[in-house]
Every structure is written in C-alpha cells, then in structure tokens.
Amino acid sequence: MRHVVGASAGWLILALAASTSRAELPYHLRLNLSEFSGQSLSLAFQMTSPDSGTNFAAIRGFAHDGRTLAARVTAGDAGGGLIDGQGGPSAIIRDHFWANEVVIPLDSVGTTVTADIVFSEAAPTEGRMPDELSMVIDDSFGQPAFTTADHLGAGAVFAIDATGAPGGDLTVIAPMQFVPPDSLIMGSSATAVPVSKQLGGRLRFSAASPNPFAERVQLRYEVPPPGGSLSVRVFDIAGRLVAEPFRGIRKAGSWTAAWNGRTASGHLAAPGTYLVQIRLEGQTVVRRITFAH
C-alpha cells in the first residue's frame, strides 16, 4: 500500500462541495483522459486508517466513456457494484484495516470519467493521525502515470484528512490546482511539474483557532524544506477572494498568519463560512473556518 498525498491528462476536475449539515464530504469527480488515448490506466482510491473503524469512502454513479473492467480490492475492506457487478456503478471503502484500496482499471481509456465521491468526517482517536482518502492515476504497470509534486513520489492527485471538522483538511498536489470554492482542476499537461517543485515534505495546516471566531483567527501551518514563496488567502463560499493575510517568502518551520474578519478593502466581512487556502511551491492546503461576529 502506497502512502500518498497529490494527475492529468488534458485536465481533471474534482468538484468539492463539503456539507456542514452532516458528517460527510461529497465530491463530484470529472477526469479528461484524452491525453492518454490508447493507453490502459487505473484509478486507485486509497484510504488509510490508523485507528479503529469509524470512517468510509464511497464512489457513486461511476461513468466512463471507454471500457471499464471490474474494480479490484487490493487491500482492506470494500464492496459494491463496481467490484462484484451487483447493485450498480458504486463502491464503498471501509476503514476496518490500516490500509484499504480499490483500483478501477480503464482498459480502453476513452476521454471522460465522472463519479460522485463521499468521504465521512469522523475525528481521529486522540493522539492518532486522521484517516486519509487519496487518489492516484496509475499506468498499466501499476506505477504513477506521470510526475507530480508529491514529495513521496507516490503520484497522488489529492489527499483529504478526516479531522472531525466540516470539509476536513484538503491537500492538493501540482499539477492539480484548487479553484475556490469547490473545484480541483488539472492542467493541460501531465509532465509539467519540474523537480524543483518537489518539496522535502508536506505543507500542513496545523490549526485555525478559535474556530468559529468573532474577532480574529490564528492560522498556524508547517512549511517543509526548503520553503519558498507562500500565500495565505481567504475565500467566501462563492469562490470570491476576500482577503490575503500573507504573501511572501517562508523558510521551513512553524508559522502563523492572522485574519481579523475584514476584507482587503477594510470592510467587515459577513458572518458565515470561509475557505482558507495556503499555497507553497506546488502544494496547496485548504480548511474551512466560520466567522461569527
């Protein structure tokens, strides 16, 4: 089982619409695979769970305009129509084991894959790492089909940690880009990530405190070596840029930024949910915060 964090072909869109009314993460996934015409690929959905079973990941309404072979459970516990041919184009991955993975082979790649993805949000046991869901696009040899900025070399297109908070923590790895409020978009080339973009670790969003907040929220984050050009941006749930608490160079280490609930023009923002996006050299992390003045 690969540990993953960070896919492409023409472009990839993973529309992200985290719900605050229930403990689930809904997604709409759209892959344009035209760059890989004539090749065989596999979509690997990987879930790691350091504690006892509490979360699940579901793939629903899977559709592909090429030829899809039966999905394989390569680790852990999973089931559904994509795997056994019963009950429609769906699969559910359960965290009954530390490593859980479902691989969907695309024997004839076609051009488009769509699916709805749900990842639940149960918080980790105290002192343990959170459950994580990620996806990798592999070639016919079971290796990542292209280079990403994933420092582990695992070629992931995204990783979501179930933290117990709405939306969890989302990590996006170049060449994929996060477009607020709810899209992950892949660039036009799968080979556009230079080695220099591969950081020596993972950018991490340590905390947003207090959350909800009334006057000021402290945003703590960990910068991997060697550091670089970093930005901290706040967006509303319509995807509009509200404020940019920091833009500049950060060395490796622990850092903080603060947002006082005001827009870039100095006006008090409306109460509600906002997205904080931290970007550094090919990695992006996203977390939701609530302004309750």
Side-chain angles (χ1 to χ4, degrees):
M1 178 74 174
R2 294 162 296 192
H3 178 69
V4 295
V5 206
S8 185
W11 49 263
L12 161 78
I13 295 178
L14 178 62
L16 169 72
S19 168
T20 58
S21 61
R22 58 179 182 170
E24 291 182 355
L25 293 169
Y27 299 83
H28 179 68
L29 174 68
R30 181 177 174 86
L31 296 168
N32 182 334
L33 301 174
S34 57
E35 184 175 342
F36 295 95
S37 177
Q39 299 183 40
S40 296
L41 298 175
S42 294
L43 308 183
F45 294 89
Q46 304 166 343
M47 183 175 177
T48 56
S49 180
D51 55 13
S52 59
T54 52
N55 282 302
F56 71 91
I59 307 162
R60 298 172 180 164
F62 185 91
H64 174 218
D65 65 352
R67 184 171 66 176
T68 305
L69 302 181
R72 306 189 304 268
V73 181
T74 60
D77 182 13
L82 282 172
I83 298 167
D84 59 23
Q86 305 294 320
S90 63
I92 186 167
I93 307 170
R94 293 170 285 264
D95 67 346
H96 293 168
F97 301 94
W98 182 87
N100 309 273
E101 180 178 67
V102 168
V103 175
I104 305 175
L106 309 179
D107 186 51
S108 172
V109 171
T111 59
T112 305
V113 170
T114 59
D116 292 323
I117 298 177
V118 173
F119 184 43
S120 58
E121 295 178 355
T125 304
E126 185 175 357
R128 291 181 177 268
M129 296 294 291
D131 291 355
E132 184 173 277
L133 172 67
S134 56
M135 191 184 84
V136 177
I137 298 182
D138 286 337
D139 60 21
S140 58
F141 299 101
Q143 299 298 315
F146 42 81
T147 300
T148 75
D150 178 9
H151 73 286
L152 295 172
V157 297
F158 69 84
I160 307 165
D161 289 350
T163 62
D169 277 1
L170 168 68
T171 298
V172 185
I173 304 294
M176 177 176 278
Q177 296 181 357
F178 173 72
V179 178
D182 56 13
S183 296
L184 300 175
I185 299 179
M186 188 59 60
S188 60
S189 174
T191 59
V193 180
V195 175
S196 62
K197 294 295 184 180
Q198 295 180 337
L199 296 168
R202 184 170 171 182
L203 176 65
R204 294 191 179 276
F205 204 142
S206 304
S209 179
N211 187 22
F213 73 101
E215 297 180 354
R216 185 183 183 89
V217 59
Q218 290 289 123
L219 309 168
R220 295 193 292 275
Y221 54 95
E222 302 289 331
V223 174
S229 179
L230 182 139
S231 65
V232 180
R233 291 182 168 185
V234 180
F235 297 85
D236 64 19
I237 57 173
R240 296 175 296 233
L241 180 63
V242 174
E244 189 173 48
F246 179 81
R247 173 181 286 272
I249 302 298
R250 289 299 199 201
K251 296 181 180 179
S254 299
W255 297 91
T256 61
W259 184 46
N260 60 4
R262 293 189 175 273
T263 67
S265 60
H267 296 98
L268 193 65
T273 299
Y274 291 84
L275 296 165
V276 178
Q277 173 189 272
I278 305 177
R279 298 180 62 182
L280 170 72
E281 303 293 345
Q283 294 189 27
T284 299
V285 291
V286 180
R287 182 178 291 194
R288 291 186 172 227
I289 60 174
T290 301
F291 185 33
H293 70 80

